[in-house]
Amino acid sequence: MADQPIRRADGAPVGRRTLLGVLGAGAAGLAAAPYLQGGWEKFLAAVSQVDSTGLTGLLPNPGGFRYYSVVGSVPHKDETNYQLKIGGLVDRPKTYSLAELRALPQTRVVHDVLCTDGWRVDDTPFTGVKLGDLLDAAGVRSEGAAVRFTCFDGAYSESLTLEQARRSDVLVALNMQDKPITHEHGGPVRLYVAPMYFYKSAKWLSGIEITDKVVPGFWEERGYAVDGWLDGADRRDDAA
Ligand SMILES: Nc1nc2c(c(=O)[nH]1)N[C@H]1C(S)=C(S)[C@@H](COP(=O)(O)O)O[C@H]1N2
Ligand SMILES: [Mo]
């Protein structure tokens, strides 16, 4: 399985060159600057987004995951200042603290994680609140048809149809690999969409808005499929 070429959900092979292409000329400046300005995290973020030389593969890569961020630095949040806002076409908009999310029933989903860039981490457990439970609590209005996700990095966004969002393997995740999600991996709270490519799993989740149609997310505005379903055996589509 691991030696098969990874294809984008629309069938096109995806590689670092695709990212380079969509990032365009602005990426060249980004590659050099953050390292000089200091901060290993910034350097990793920049390199992992723009490197086409294979250098990324030589960087520390604990557990097989790569660190991705479309911005150079992201504020740290924890139980003292984290907030998740649910609004849009709902009867009961609500802002959750981390403690409130932790107090809700937790679901553990174990699935293979696949990035369109070609790396994968098999059998990765994520634990958190079913997105469907939060939607039920908010009371989605009849005009609601899709969900838009926003992030406290101030840049990334994602989307799902309401039907996709209500699947039992779509989580507002608090734990990854049975530990609280680290800042690098999008903590304290990230989305986890198990049956889709990992770009759908927005890190640093801060907003869930019910909309009347799908609003394409950050990468989707740059050519990625809105429906990010994994293919064939990788999808292991056993959840309703
Ligand atoms: N906020 C935010 N979420 C994001 C991204 C990002 O750059 N910013 N990258 C996406 C992509 S393409 C992947 S593969 C995964 C990477 O998650 P990781 O950094 O925890 O490995 O996060 C997804 N969610
Ligand atoms: Mo990705």
Side-chain angles (χ1 to χ4, degrees), residues 19 68 114-117 119 156 197-200 219 224:
L19 279 181
Y68 281 158
L114 282 87
C115 169
T116 50
D117 279 359
W119 53 270
Y156 205 75
Y197 280 102
F198 209 25
Y199 67 86
K200 300 297 297 187
W219 283 121
Y224 276 55

Side-chain angles (χ1 to χ4, degrees), residues 44-185:
L44 260 188
V47 166
S48 65
Q49 281 302 317
V50 301
D51 175 49
S52 65
T53 64
L55 176 63
T56 309
L58 302 173
L59 293 170
N61 184 18
F65 285 90
R66 304 288 168 88
Y67 168 74
Y68 281 158
S69 174
V70 297
V71 299
S73 95
V74 179
H76 287 242
K77 293 205 186 268
D78 58 23
E79 43 283 297
T80 64
N81 57 0
Y82 176 79
Q83 292 195 321
L84 176 62
K85 284 191 178 157
I86 303 194
L89 299 171
V90 298
D91 290 329
R92 297 175 292 277
K94 183 170 165 69
T95 300
Y96 289 88
S97 68
L98 197 49
E100 285 172 315
L101 290 173
R102 284 181 180 144
L104 293 172
Q106 305 288 306
T107 298
R108 187 170 181 267
V109 172
V110 182
H111 203 283
D112 302 340
V113 163
L114 282 87
C115 169
T116 50
D117 279 359
W119 53 270
R120 64 185 295 152
V121 184
D122 286 346
D123 299 321
T124 305
F126 283 85
T127 307
V129 183
K130 277 185 204 158
L131 176 58
D133 289 352
L134 296 180
L135 297 177
D136 288 345
V140 176
R141 294 196 195 145
S142 55
E143 321 89 83
V147 188
R148 171 172 162 79
F149 305 93
T150 49
C151 307
F152 62 80
D153 63 6
Y156 205 75
S157 57
E158 256 307 333
S159 67
L160 291 172
T161 66
L162 200 54
E163 191 186 359
Q164 293 163 356
R166 288 193 183 283
R167 291 176 56 100
S168 59
D169 54 1
V170 175
L171 301 180
V172 169
L174 307 174
N175 282 24
M176 174 172 159
Q177 295 178 315
D178 297 319
K179 289 179 288 256
I181 301 175
T182 61
H183 174 73
E184 285 70 23
H185 286 301

